[in-house]
Amino acid sequence: MKELVLVLDFDVKYREQAARMVRDLNVYAEILPGNAPAERITALNPIGIITAGEPTPGAPFADLYIPVMSGVDMTKEALEAFLFTVCRAKGQYNLQDYIDSQVAQIRETVGGERVLLALSGGVDSSVCAALLSKAIPGQLTCVFVDHGFMRLHESDDIEAIFSTHDLDFVRVNAAERFVGKIAGITDPEQKRKIIGEEFIRVFEEEAKKLGRIPFLAQGTIYPDIVESGGVHGETIKSHHNVGGLPENLDFEQLVEPLAGLFKNEVRKIGLMLGLPPALVHRQPFPGPGLAVRVMGEVTFGKLDVLRKADAIVREELDRLDTPPSQYFAVLTDTFSVGVKDGVRTYDPVLAIRAVSTQDFMTASCFDIPHELLVKLAARIAGEVDGVSRVVYDISSKPPGTVEWQ
Ligand code: XMP
């Protein structure tokens, strides 16, 4: 019988952190709603319960004779004492077992059929691809849509990495199509909407070309399920993860082999499966990519300027011992006068964004050392044509979001 600790959710602030702390001590933890019926709890036979938040009097778990600890401001030492002394946990949960059991399960589910995965190059879909190619070599097709809003060399890097795995990698070069679709659009929400819809259309077209593929794989992870209400007994929307892939795509079944894992565990598995560390530790990157980092109208020219400046920002900040959680460049639609090689210029202002955060729900401005800021400004204005000056965004979230639009 698998050793399980239940985290009962009375406050969203604590539930994921509590479950992650338990798993980091090699004990498997799952999250259930605070009002889960006693029968649902006993059916899982947990060795202990952690209350994330303040339980309401009369909560169903109270009379079950299962050891209980409060997960509010829990220290690692207190949790260790609870798990190993009070609950007598053996602490045998580990990610190699997770990989092995998923590989077996994927093989059983998929049999000899083919599986399709929409690969974005982000951490989750990349690790999903690596795990599937280990489980069912030769049966996986990954479709990567290059919408033209990727960072410098990013699409080629993704192609190079996945061409070495035992899978069919289909790269769709659709930059002209996407940039054309949002030509003249300045409203950020409209850009996002158009790009999202076009993505679906491109993916559908590619899926059709490939013939009948019964399985669709998604890199859904455990927080996606917890956050979409999955542990609260409601139906999980079947396609909530893949940038809104349509419900009517002709797939018989979903394969979601990362659905039991937290993000830090997904990264660890990625490394165990041999993915390069740079890919596994990638920063979050919005689905519409650089299209939401070019303020106002998006053109090939502006994308090119932003790509070069962004590469400099990342190259310099990558070198820090403890880099920010997320860092990038934004090309504004404000123009300013400058002077380059004795000639007057009138080009856009470029902004640097760098934040520290635990969960991206709130974030603080990262303290880039002053000399490095000066170096960044000099390199960008010197090396990138089409930027007049460089500013540093010192807003926290809230009130400023991480992205500018
Ligand atoms: P904001 O700007 O809302 O961003 O503070 C929080 C985090 O979410 C990322 N982000 C996105 N990710 N599609 C995504 O997959 C999007 O449209 C999107 N918009 C923002 C952002 O980069 C940050 O990490």
Side-chain angles (χ1 to χ4, degrees), residues 189 192 241 243 283-289 292-293 325-326 328 353 355 357 359-363 397 400-405:
E189 282 315 303
R192 270 175 206 276
N241 188 46
Q283 304 174 36
F285 187 60
V292 293
R293 293 180 183 170
S325 313
Q326 195 174 358
F328 53 87
R353 185 75 168 129
V355 295
T357 175
D359 55 10
F360 296 91
M361 309 284 273
T362 62
K397 174 184 178 178
T401 48
V402 174
E403 303 290 344
W404 275 35
Q405 50 177 12

Side-chain angles (χ1 to χ4, degrees), residues 40-363:
R40 194 168 167 202
I41 294 173
T42 43
L44 292 168
N45 196 22
I47 58 167
I49 287 175
I50 293 178
T51 54
E54 278 307 319
T56 40
F61 72 88
D63 303 323
L64 297 178
Y65 300 101
I66 298 169
V68 176
M69 175 183 183
S70 166
V72 178
D73 301 327
M74 185 168 64
T75 64
K76 187 179 168 213
E77 292 69 31
L79 178 60
E80 268 173 336
F82 175 71
L83 294 175
F84 300 111
T85 309
V86 180
C87 305
R88 296 171 189 277
K90 294 193 189 71
Q92 289 167 338
Y93 169 68
N94 71 72
L95 293 175
Q96 190 55 51
D97 289 350
Y98 187 94
I99 293 178
D100 295 344
S101 73
Q102 281 307 315
V103 165
Q105 202 175 319
I106 293 164
R107 285 180 184 154
E108 193 184 318
T109 309
V110 171
E113 298 282 2
R114 289 164 73 201
V115 179
L116 183 67
L117 172 72
L119 183 71
S120 68
V123 178
D124 302 342
S125 66
S126 297
V127 174
C128 190
L131 185 55
L132 284 162
S133 88
K134 179 181 166 79
I136 44 162
Q139 288 165 254
L140 175 66
T141 301
C142 293
V143 175
F144 166 64
V145 178
D146 180 359
H147 49 26
F149 310 128
M150 303 299 278
R151 291 163 291 190
L152 195 67
H153 306 314
E154 192 169 24
S155 301
D156 294 344
D157 290 347
I158 291 166
E159 182 167 4
I161 290 163
F162 287 99
S163 301
T164 64
H165 280 72
D166 200 349
L167 48 82
D168 279 336
F169 181 88
V170 179
R171 172 172 170 175
V172 187
N173 292 313
E176 298 278 349
R177 182 168 169 171
F178 278 87
V179 175
K181 273 277 165 189
I182 58 165
I185 307 288
T186 54
D187 177 69
E189 282 315 303
Q190 228 183 325
K191 281 189 215 170
R192 270 175 206 276
K193 196 161 166 280
I194 294 170
I195 293 167
E197 280 168 10
E198 201 59 15
F199 181 86
I200 291 168
R201 216 142 290 143
V202 173
F203 189 79
E204 271 178 329
E205 287 170 19
E206 291 305 316
K208 256 192 214 117
K209 282 186 211 159
L210 294 166
R212 189 183 150 275
I213 299 187
F215 292 92
L216 178 71
Q218 294 199 137
T220 313
I221 69 173
Y222 193 48
D224 298 336
I225 289 177
V226 174
E227 282 153 27
S228 67
V231 296
H232 291 253
E234 301 138 28
T235 326
I236 308 161
K237 280 195 100 182
S238 49
H239 291 297
H240 60 83
N241 188 46
V242 186
L245 285 184
E247 303 281 332
N248 60 0
L249 272 178
D250 193 17
F251 293 103
E252 281 154 32
Q253 216 179 317
L254 274 179
V255 181
E256 299 181 306
L258 308 180
L261 299 177
F262 286 108
K263 192 83 173 190
N264 64 328
E265 296 177 315
V266 173
R267 293 192 208 275
K268 284 184 196 160
I269 281 198
L271 293 174
M272 290 160 79
L273 292 167
L275 287 176
L279 181 80
V280 166
H281 294 293
R282 256 179 65 125
Q283 304 174 36
F285 187 60
L290 300 185
V292 293
R293 293 180 183 170
V294 170
M295 308 299 287
E297 186 182 4
V298 179
T299 62
F300 278 109
K302 288 184 187 175
L303 286 167
D304 200 37
V305 169
L306 176 58
R307 257 192 277 274
K308 288 177 184 154
D310 180 70
I312 295 173
V313 171
R314 288 185 298 123
E315 182 192 324
E316 291 292 340
L317 293 187
D318 278 349
R319 292 204 197 108
L320 293 175
D321 290 336
T322 27
S325 313
Q326 195 174 358
Y327 42 107
F328 53 87
V330 175
L331 189 67
T332 79
D333 50 0
T334 294
F335 280 63
S336 85
V337 173
V339 58
K340 212 175 213 171
D341 305 325
V343 178
R344 181 187 184 278
T345 58
Y346 189 57
D347 284 323
V349 175
L350 184 113
I352 297 170
R353 185 75 168 129
V355 295
S356 299
T357 175
Q358 290 293 324
D359 55 10
F360 296 91
M361 309 284 273
T362 62

